[in-house]
Amino acid sequence: LGRYQEAAHIHRRTLAARQETLGPDHPDTLCSASNLANALDAQGSHAEAVELHRATLATRTQVLGELHPDTLRSSSNLGQALAAAGELEEAATLHKQTLAARSEVLGDEHPDT
């Protein structure tokens, strides 16, 4: 609990292994990238987290499509990281877009909406 540096280290190793064995666009690799970005954000490395979330979102959009639930999760994660980094206007815009897309795809009653 609260061992964010250790978590980030483990996520970096996992991401590297998955990139090597599965390739950079594989859904499991993208999940590892997202996990690392979340750990970085939790430890206060907001700029690095935002950068990695942006890259993950871009790849998921390209590979899975704009409205895939994993892509929408990446969009939400990026919004969280932007807010933590003080980029409140961009974070709010992204959260509004993500909410609208989740409502459309998942429905208003879905827990992720």
Side-chain angles (χ1 to χ4, degrees):
L1 303 171
R3 296 163 54 185
Y4 302 120
Q5 286 184 313
E6 182 180 354
H9 177 71
I10 292 167
H11 287 307
R12 280 187 202 281
R13 287 194 344 232
T14 304
L15 176 58
R18 283 184 168 174
Q19 286 173 328
E20 185 177 322
T21 58
L22 302 173
D25 296 342
H26 191 279
D28 290 346
T29 303
L30 297 172
C31 182
S32 289
S34 183
N35 289 341
L36 172 57
N38 286 334
L40 291 168
D41 198 36
Q43 76 178 22
S45 299
H46 303 302
E48 189 177 0
V50 166
E51 182 180 331
L52 187 51
H53 277 308
R54 282 192 199 281
T56 303
L57 175 58
T59 304
R60 278 184 165 163
T61 300
Q62 181 182 22
V63 172
L64 301 173
E66 192 173 279
L67 297 177
H68 189 280
D70 289 347
T71 304
L72 297 175
R73 187 172 301 112
S74 281
S75 182
S76 180
N77 288 343
L78 175 57
Q80 294 287 355
L82 286 165
E87 300 293 333
L88 301 180
E89 188 172 321
E90 185 178 359
T93 299
L94 189 57
H95 279 308
K96 288 176 187 174
Q97 292 169 350
T98 304
L99 177 60
R102 280 181 164 172
S103 182
E104 176 186 334
V105 173
L106 303 173
D108 291 332
E109 301 303 317
H110 192 279
D112 287 346
T113 303

